[in-house]
Amino acid sequence: MPKDVIAEGLASGKWDVRDAATFMRDQTLEADVVIVGTGAGGGVAAEILSLAGLKVVMLEEGELRYASKHFNLKEAEAYPTLYQESAGRQTKDKGITILQGRTVGGSTTVNWTSSFRTPPTTLAFWRDHYGLDDMTVENMAGWFGKAEKRLSVIDWNVEPNVNNQVLMSGADRAGIHWSKIRRNVKACLNLGYCGMGCPANAKQSMLITTVPTALDRGATLLTHLRAERVLQEGGKAVGVEGMAMNHSGLEPVGIKVTIKAKTVLLAGGAINTPALMLRSYLSDPHGLIGKRTFLHPVNVSGALMPFKVEGWQGAPQSIYSDHFIDAFPPDGPMGYKLEVPPLHPVLTAITMSGFGEKHRQLMQHFDRLQVVLALMRDGFHEDSRGGSVSLKADGTPLLDYPISDYVWRGMRHSYLTMAELQFAAGATRVMPIHEDVPGGGYSSWAEAKAAIQSLPLEVLRAKVVSAHVMGGAAMASKAEQGVVDGYGRFFNLDNLYVMDGSVFPTSIGANPQLSIYGLAARNASSLAKTLTGKDIAWPV
Amino acid sequence: MLSRRQLLKTGVAGAALLGLARLAYGPITPDSLYAVPAKARFKVLDAESRTALAAIARVMLKGALPRDEAEYETALYQAVLGCDTAIAGLPMGVQAEVKELLALLNSRVTRRWVVGVGASWETASDEDIAHFLNRWRFSSFLLLRSGYQALHQIVFAAWYGNPQAWVGIGYDGPPKFMEGYWNA
């Protein structure tokens, strides 16, 4: 029988996991470090700080699903239980729909395992524009290497699924270079259901790696707990106040949980971390909290192939192209990365435009549908300043992300590229996902090319989605430019740190999980040294 | 209270529901036949919203809903129930927005002047409903476009989230062998 680290850990009786949804009265806990969030940043930090012998309390708004039995691979259950806002979190004008995890392990529990080190161009941009001088490729390589070792980031040598093969062969024929994607998996069954939680514990998410280690080392995990505000006293962060949520995670049950801690570490992910900082009325003299939030806005192109694609099967992402990241310098036209998504009925049906017979005709060819994505590398050009997080009346976050003309131009360019390579790979029809594209799309590259040139590019006509949320609590060497320094220390209050994707001063230009792991490992190790005087060997 | 005929027409009833009502409540007066079990099963949608959504889903899912009359009613009922589940899973703030949208669909004045459907949802034709959907879909008002997209998202998520809807799309569902994986 395969090993289920979560089931065994819970059964051992040694883990301190408490579900706040069951709490009957207010409570107070004490810790050396309280960590808000159990995703890529919080998970890695929790492991390293626990290894340093510190008493860690982890707070998670989502719930603890066993890695095995509860991941039943059904979209209808996975989205409401494992994602922020039922996988339907949207920007203020509803123009962009965002996939972001909300469960133990955060987005790492539901991501598609794509693992990229922070690109050298991105690090160079941070050094040049944000004074992060020591973030060189050489200095960071060690941390990425450690994270890769800890989380089993491997070359994926299994044959790509057909959906990815089309990207590969189309790119070849269109003269666009491509490469293979590395993945954080062990004994992967190549199922294709990563987005619904790995049912085989193959994905090395925080759920089955760092969070269990932290629990083994005496950390406490509180689930169904929404961090409401950072507690401050005498110029220091002294803890976090949280609200217990009900079992569905939708409503607070009116019970307050206070965690008093000497160090407070925020890792709720971009959008949520800046929102928590805003709710806490933290000092923000330069008005930077929540600003410059990036999404890698994604536009989408569907194609019907003359052969079976069955895009729900096999590793979702194994091939990518950085052709138009490499071809366009950061101060040039919008660069974008090409990848493919997994295709499952709900996500596909809600993404495809139109309704009635036309929509159905497309769904009838669901097994021959191929889809390519273009991720815009936002945040590098002065005409790409990202979005801004504010609070709704109920205190939950709202991201306003206006799509600039510069970004739209990148999307038009990528619609063309995607259509060209899909036809080159043998597509019989190509349909940019846009309301103005006729049902059934275009039947030739020439037709598509002419039509795409004149597509009106505006929100809620062009389908724009995102699965990568970054920024909003940017790091920089100076307080005028950033919310935290390069080690995640908040500039305006002692003992408060941020270690998640919100510290990135731009987008990454690649799927961000490994960038978060590497940086969080570096910064949590530095924090462990500060707090205990010890150098922590990691990974163990 | 909707009449039995209206409920059947909009698909918010169906044989299964009837059976359930009888099982749960025994012989009951015709007027409360549908309302009682519906109330028990629907978390957020009231009768008016169920009727509007059934009419909209009927048009959005044209070609996807089964042709057989009895199956059709049950499937449409399932779709509306799925919409209810989908909406109930949204954060409370977003649920409030969806309810505003439903109120707009339901009020006679806004249904006529904003939605552009003159007839009640029970009697509106497929053409009227498709016309309204396309008008919102391509509207120059962002708010109307977002209303259309919300309906699109809710109805298609509700429909294709149900394994019964996978018939005819070449998809067999998640791999069966995983069911026994942890006990192997």
Side-chain angles (χ1 to χ4, degrees):
Chain A
M1 192 156 96
K3 200 169 142 66
D4 186 340
V5 66
I6 301 291
E8 285 174 20
L10 289 171
S12 74
K14 290 176 189 155
W15 281 6
D16 184 9
V17 178
R18 308 180 201 179
D19 183 352
T22 66
F23 289 178
M24 302 303 285
R25 62 184 74 84
D26 290 358
Q27 18 203 310
T28 302
L29 283 78
E30 291 192 14
D32 292 321
V33 185
V34 58
I35 301 180
V36 179
T38 59
V44 166
E47 174 164 286
I48 291 173
L49 296 168
S50 299
L51 288 169
L54 294 159
K55 170 63 193 179
V56 170
V57 172
M58 300 178 270
L59 310 187
E60 173 54 52
E61 187 183 350
E63 65 181 316
L64 179 63
R65 296 226 132 200
Y66 291 14
S68 58
K69 300 174 190 109
H70 291 128
F71 291 141
N72 63 10
L73 313 182
K74 294 196 177 115
E75 289 179 283
E77 285 181 40
Y79 299 151
T81 52
L82 302 175
Y83 286 79
Q84 298 283 352
E85 310 192 18
S86 277
R89 177 169 260 189
Q90 289 180 321
T91 50
K92 188 177 178 185
D93 61 11
K94 322 249 185 263
I96 309 177
T97 301
I98 300 163
L99 291 178
Q100 195 177 11
R102 186 192 66 169
T103 183
V104 173
S107 294
T108 75
T109 301
V110 291
N111 74 16
W112 303 334
T113 75
S114 299
S115 303
F116 297 91
R117 292 184 178 196
T118 313
T121 323
T122 303
L123 291 173
F125 194 90
W126 295 354
R127 292 194 302 274
D128 295 346
H129 293 81
Y130 294 92
L132 301 165
D133 298 338
D134 56 357
M135 288 201 193
T136 61
V137 173
E138 299 71 37
N139 286 349
M140 293 307 293
W143 292 105
F144 294 135
K146 285 167 190 270
E148 285 162 350
K149 191 173 167 206
R150 173 67 183 97
L151 302 168
S152 293
V153 174
I154 53 160
D155 289 334
W156 179 247
N157 292 320
V158 177
E159 187 177 41
N161 72 3
V162 179
N163 202 28
N164 280 277
Q165 280 175 29
V166 168
L167 172 58
M168 184 168 72
S169 67
D172 269 341
R173 290 176 202 167
I176 291 167
H177 69 72
W178 56 268
S179 304
K180 288 184 177 181
I181 296 179
R182 284 158 61 82
R183 308 182 62 220
N184 58 319
V185 292
K186 258 186 200 171
C188 172
L189 301 178
N190 204 27
L191 295 175
Y193 286 73
C194 309
M196 283 154 251
C198 181
N201 278 346
K203 170 163 49 185
Q204 299 300 294
S205 66
M206 300 303 99
L207 172 65
I208 66 157
T209 59
T210 55
V211 170
T213 307
L215 289 168
D216 285 341
R217 296 282 176 149
T220 297
L221 170 63
L222 298 174
T223 60
H224 282 128
L225 192 72
R226 176 179 286 172
E228 186 56 21
R229 62 193 179 100
V230 174
L231 301 171
Q232 309 172 53
E233 217 174 270
K236 287 176 181 166
V238 293
V240 171
E241 187 179 286
M243 298 190 300
M245 304 298 285
N246 62 5
H247 285 284
S248 67
L250 295 177
E251 286 180 283
V253 293
I255 286 180
K256 200 163 81 179
V257 180
T258 306
I259 299 93
K260 293 181 178 166
K262 298 189 236 355
T263 301
V264 176
L265 199 160
L266 307 185
I271 299 184
N272 299 328
T273 288
L276 171 55
M277 297 176 96
L278 291 171
R279 282 198 298 272
S280 307
Y281 297 100
L282 297 177
S283 163
D284 183 20
H286 303 284
L288 296 172
I289 294 175
K291 300 297 180 336
R292 290 184 61 81
T293 297
F294 301 106
L295 292 173
H296 285 157
V298 164
N299 60 328
V300 187
S301 184
L304 285 183
M305 306 309 291
F307 43 79
K308 286 213 176 202
V309 176
E310 301 190 335
W312 54 88
Q313 294 201 39
Q317 299 193 313
S318 51
I319 302 295
Y320 74 101
S321 170
D322 267 355
H323 190 96
F324 291 101
I325 292 267
D326 301 337
F328 298 149
D331 57 354
M334 178 99 255
Y336 56 89
K337 187 180 204 79
L338 297 174
E339 293 177 347
V340 305
L343 303 179
H344 294 281
V346 170
L347 218 49
T348 305
I350 64 172
T351 303
M352 295 294 144
S353 44
F355 60 87
E357 299 281 4
K358 283 179 179 162
H359 188 277
R360 181 59 181 182
Q361 279 160 19
L362 198 60
M363 288 307 289
Q364 277 169 340
H365 299 303
F366 181 48
D367 55 350
R368 291 200 285 121
L369 185 67
Q370 196 275 339
V371 176
V372 182
L373 308 171
L375 294 80
M376 302 298 127
R377 177 180 55 178
D378 53 344
F380 289 80
H381 192 280
E382 60 176 24
D383 294 328
S384 171
R385 295 177 185 198
S388 161
V389 175
S390 61
L391 300 176
K392 293 184 196 175
D394 65 0
T396 58
L398 180 64
L399 172 63
D400 184 17
Y401 189 109
I403 301 179
S404 66
D405 290 344
Y406 170 83
V407 175
W408 281 125
R409 279 196 295 278
M411 291 200 179
R412 193 187 302 282
H413 194 284
S414 70
Y415 273 140
L416 289 165
T417 302
M418 293 189 281
E420 185 183 6
L421 74 81
Q422 285 171 315
F423 277 118
T428 53
R429 313 285 305 187
V430 169
M431 56 216 85
I433 307 304
H434 186 296
E435 298 297 343
D436 293 52
V437 172
Y442 310 120
S443 60
S444 73
W445 167 222
E447 186 195 359
K449 195 173 176 180
I452 290 168
Q453 299 287 5
S454 58
L455 276 182
L457 293 184
E458 48 182 352
V459 290
L460 301 171
R461 285 181 99 131
K463 184 85 184 176
V464 184
V465 296
S466 163
H468 305 154
V469 191
M470 299 153 286
M475 55 181 171
S477 60
K478 295 197 200 90
E480 302 84 70
Q481 266 199 307
V483 175
V484 298
D485 72 9
Y487 283 89
R489 276 185 295 246
F490 182 57
F491 281 120
N492 301 305
L493 187 71
D494 286 342
N495 305 342
L496 181 63
Y497 293 76
V498 180
M499 296 188 195
D500 62 17
S502 54
V503 303
F504 298 142
T506 62
S507 76
I508 295 292
N511 308 44
Q513 68 164 337
L514 182 52
S515 293
I516 302 171
Y517 297 144
L519 187 63
R522 168 185 179 268
N523 293 358
S525 298
S526 162
L527 175 59
K529 173 96 175 173
T530 305
L531 298 178
T532 66
K534 285 188 277 191
D535 283 311
I536 308 305
W538 187 83
V540 179
Chain B
M1 184 84 44
L2 291 169
S3 73
R4 175 181 174 157
R5 198 194 130 267
Q6 284 167 330
L7 278 158
L8 281 172
K9 193 171 161 94
T10 52
V12 183
L17 186 54
L18 260 169
L20 255 184
R22 294 213 177 96
L23 264 179
Y25 301 98
I28 30 180
T29 56
D31 263 343
S32 53
L33 247 175
Y34 304 98
V36 175
K39 198 177 170 194
R41 293 196 69 185
F42 285 87
K43 293 186 207 122
V44 287
L45 294 175
D46 58 20
E48 275 187 311
S49 302
R50 294 200 294 272
T51 308
L53 277 175
I56 290 164
R58 184 183 82 212
V59 173
M60 280 203 161
L61 298 174
K62 192 163 244 184
L65 288 164
R67 292 213 172 80
D68 176 272
E69 207 175 314
E71 282 179 37
Y72 178 92
E73 295 295 344
T74 313
L76 190 54
Y77 173 78
Q78 287 293 337
V80 176
L81 189 62
C83 290
D84 185 72
T85 309
I87 297 165
L90 295 168
M92 304 317 285
V94 183
Q95 280 192 40
E97 289 180 354
V98 174
K99 282 174 189 163
E100 278 172 32
L101 170 64
L102 293 169
L104 194 76
L105 297 176
N106 293 335
S107 141
R108 201 178 298 175
V109 175
T110 48
R111 190 194 67 226
R112 185 171 193 96
W113 300 108
V114 181
V115 181
V117 173
S120 67
W121 289 110
E122 297 95 82
T123 56
S125 68
D126 287 8
E127 292 70 33
D128 286 348
I129 294 168
H131 180 75
F132 135 64
L133 290 172
N134 275 319
R135 218 167 53 82
W136 277 28
R137 180 181 172 200
F138 296 111
S139 171
S140 50
F141 296 105
L142 202 61
L143 198 68
L144 297 188
R145 294 211 300 280
S146 72
Y148 164 78
Q149 292 293 341
L151 292 170
H152 182 279
Q153 220 154 0
I154 290 166
V155 169
F156 282 113
W159 179 251
Y160 285 103
N162 183 350
Q164 286 160 10
W166 300 339
V167 177
I169 63 167
Y171 174 71
D172 295 333
K176 302 276 182 293
F177 70 88
M178 282 313 294
E179 285 164 18
Y181 181 78
W182 290 97
N183 305 314

